[in-house]
């Protein structure tokens, strides 16, 4: 069995997608974009994502865009995945994942999540080209 993915893998997978730029967020956090649209975003601590026992804000939340509400629901409501959402993201096509829980997904699953996030935000031309090259 391979080693679980790491935060470095998230960065590498996002950078491996075509036409990606990295924007620095307000606190130095990485925001990966395609065509000016974010697809992977390292969040800063926010009041909507807290440890239920301590009340401490999570400092390691990564946001991934998804293609549809159905995709979001499938990830968030599957008890075998570590993906979650908060009321702040109701109606927003994204899922959240704590870096501390990356060990609960395989490298292959993480690659698929990053690729799907890119596909959700890329232009139709870029999406069509990428899919043709990778199907």
């Amino acid at each position: 069995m391979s080693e679980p993915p790491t935060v470095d893998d998230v960065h590498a997978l996002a950078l491996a997608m075509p036409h990606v730029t990295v924007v620095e967020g307000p606190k130095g956090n990485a925001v990966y974009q395609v065509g000016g649209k974010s697809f992977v975003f390292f969040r800063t601590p926010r009041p909507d994502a807290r440890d239920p026992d301590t009340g401490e804000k999570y400092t390691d939340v990564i946001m991934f865009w998804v293609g549809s509400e159905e995709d979001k629901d499938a990830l968030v409501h599957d008890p075998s995945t570590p993906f979650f959402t908060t009321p702040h993201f109701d109606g927003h096509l994204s899922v959240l994942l704590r870096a501390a829980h990356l060990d609960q997904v395989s490298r292959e699953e993480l690659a698929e999540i990053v690729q799907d996030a890119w596909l959700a935000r890329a232009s139709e031309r870029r999406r069509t080209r990428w899919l043709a090259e990778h199907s």
Side-chain angles (χ1 to χ4, degrees), residues 104-125:
Q104 296 178 32
V105 297
S106 69
R107 287 177 185 269
E108 294 77 20
E109 290 167 323
L110 180 62
E112 186 177 325
I113 291 294
V114 172
Q115 291 165 358
D116 287 349
W118 184 90
L119 288 165
R121 304 293 281 167
S123 67
E124 183 161 350
R125 181 177 62 69

Side-chain angles (χ1 to χ4, degrees), residues 16-135:
M17 299 305 293
H19 309 287
V20 169
T21 55
V22 184
V23 177
E24 191 173 293
K27 307 242 173 150
N29 51 311
V31 180
Y32 291 89
Q33 297 183 337
V34 56
K37 295 180 178 179
S38 302
F39 69 98
V40 173
F41 179 81
F42 285 79
R43 290 185 71 203
T44 55
R46 307 236 336 139
D48 66 308
R50 295 179 178 271
D51 182 291
D53 298 323
T54 67
E56 292 291 316
K57 295 177 191 174
Y58 293 138
T59 60
D60 64 342
V61 176
I62 310 165
M63 181 171 37
F64 300 89
W65 266 256
V66 294
S68 69
E69 196 66 43
E70 291 78 22
D71 293 341
K72 177 179 182 170
D73 287 344
L75 287 169
V76 170
H77 295 299
D78 181 343
S80 72
T81 76
F83 296 96
F84 69 101
T85 191
T86 67
H88 179 76
F89 288 98
D90 286 351
H92 191 270
L93 294 180
S94 63
V95 294
L96 306 173
L97 173 65
R98 293 193 57 214
H101 297 158
L102 279 166
D103 63 346
Q104 296 178 32
V105 297
S106 69
R107 287 177 185 269
E108 294 77 20
E109 290 167 323
L110 180 62
E112 186 177 325
I113 291 294
V114 172
Q115 291 165 358
D116 287 349
W118 184 90
L119 288 165
R121 304 293 281 167
S123 67
E124 183 161 350
R125 181 177 62 69
R126 288 176 176 165
R127 200 169 41 248
T128 300
R129 178 177 292 151
W130 190 88
L131 288 169
E133 292 171 359
H134 295 88
S135 46

